Amino acid sequence: MTQPNTVDVQIMDKPYCIACPPEERDNLENAARYLDRKMREIRSSGKVIGADRVAVMAALNITHELLHKHQRETSNAREQVQDLLERVDSALADDSNPTGNAP
């Protein structure tokens, strides 16, 4: 039975009742579907047996995805900051030499 501020989800055919604020319900349901899909992919590969091991492998895979995405985003942000710094340096150099002659 669902109580207020809980969400019922199924992961690998097992029901879970999870406390969750109403505004996070959609996010929780999406996360549960994503986890269920990852666990089913691992189980269907036949390389990992046992729900606990499947869950750990899914957690490792999801963590790896998140860390890899974070590293890419951090790298992109660094490149953008470097580009902006170069633009600022160029603009400052142009301002300090309005005639275009070398100092």
Side-chain angles (χ1 to χ4, degrees), residues 37-57:
R37 188 170 54 250
K38 287 294 186 181
M39 289 179 69
R40 288 176 186 279
E41 287 172 9
I42 291 167
R43 184 180 66 182
S44 70
S45 75
K47 295 178 182 176
V48 180
I49 298 173
D52 290 348
R53 290 182 181 266
V54 169
V56 169
M57 291 305 296

Side-chain angles (χ1 to χ4, degrees), residues 1-72:
M1 175 188 218
T2 302
Q3 296 178 11
N5 297 327
T6 63
V7 177
D8 292 321
V9 297
Q10 289 226 352
I11 300 172
M12 300 257 304
D13 301 321
K14 290 187 179 182
Y16 295 89
C17 183
I18 302 169
C20 176
E23 65 273 10
E24 289 296 320
R25 180 184 182 100
D26 288 341
N27 288 335
L28 176 61
E29 289 172 341
N30 287 335
R33 280 191 295 274
Y34 187 78
L35 177 58
D36 182 65
R37 188 170 54 250
K38 287 294 186 181
M39 289 179 69
R40 288 176 186 279
E41 287 172 9
I42 291 167
R43 184 180 66 182
S44 70
S45 75
K47 295 178 182 176
V48 180
I49 298 173
D52 290 348
R53 290 182 181 266
V54 169
V56 169
M57 291 305 296
L60 285 171
N61 287 340
I62 292 168
T63 302
H64 178 264
E65 290 171 8
L66 290 173
L67 290 174
H68 186 70
K69 180 180 177 184
H70 175 72
Q71 288 171 343
R72 278 195 324 263

